Amino acid sequence: AAASAQDALGAQVASFARARQERLDGVVLCEIVDGFTALGGIRVRRDADRAIREYQHAVMVFRANLIKALVDEENMTLTAVAERMEITRQTATRLYYSMREFDEQG
């Protein structure tokens, strides 16, 4: 997910850099917009949005699994896990129970 987000964001940044350079070169703004459209600008943006959402979800699942393992396998309390991970106890609890519910649903 991280590599996908990096690729999608790289395409978005390249698109912005190209538009910026065109603007500095004096290209008319309407032509820049037309260039975005011709190069699939909306697809590039949507791909970046999707990749970011997938990355954020993957990070959330990783954190939830980590918290679950620390509690279930290392016998840490949610308070201790939260302190170690520098997150709120409420966040640790929410993530922990999200994985328990996922495990129970199979």
Side-chain angles (χ1 to χ4, degrees):
S4 177
Q6 183 177 17
D7 291 344
L9 288 173
Q12 184 74 63
V13 168
S15 178
F16 289 155
R18 186 173 41 255
R20 180 179 186 277
Q21 188 58 52
E22 289 174 355
R23 187 71 170 151
L24 292 173
D25 291 343
V27 175
V28 177
L29 195 53
C30 287
E31 291 180 22
I32 295 171
V33 172
D34 291 345
F36 270 127
T37 304
L39 294 173
I42 198 154
R43 181 192 47 77
V44 170
R45 183 184 55 77
R46 286 180 179 161
D47 288 350
D49 289 346
R50 178 191 41 77
I52 290 168
R53 282 192 306 275
E54 289 173 0
Y55 170 75
Q56 290 172 330
H57 179 75
V59 169
M60 185 270 307
V61 169
F62 172 79
R63 291 172 66 207
N65 278 310
L66 181 61
I67 291 167
K68 187 174 182 306
L70 288 170
V71 171
D72 295 349
E73 297 170 24
E74 302 294 325
N75 298 314
M76 291 180 70
T77 66
L78 285 168
T79 300
V81 169
E83 288 174 0
R84 179 168 292 239
M85 293 180 67
E86 297 181 356
I87 59 176
T88 66
R89 186 185 51 75
Q90 291 83 358
T91 298
T93 300
R94 180 180 49 81
L95 289 167
Y96 175 77
Y97 283 106
S98 73
M99 287 314 299
R100 285 195 48 176
E101 289 171 11
F102 180 78
D103 287 347
E104 291 170 2
Q105 292 173 0

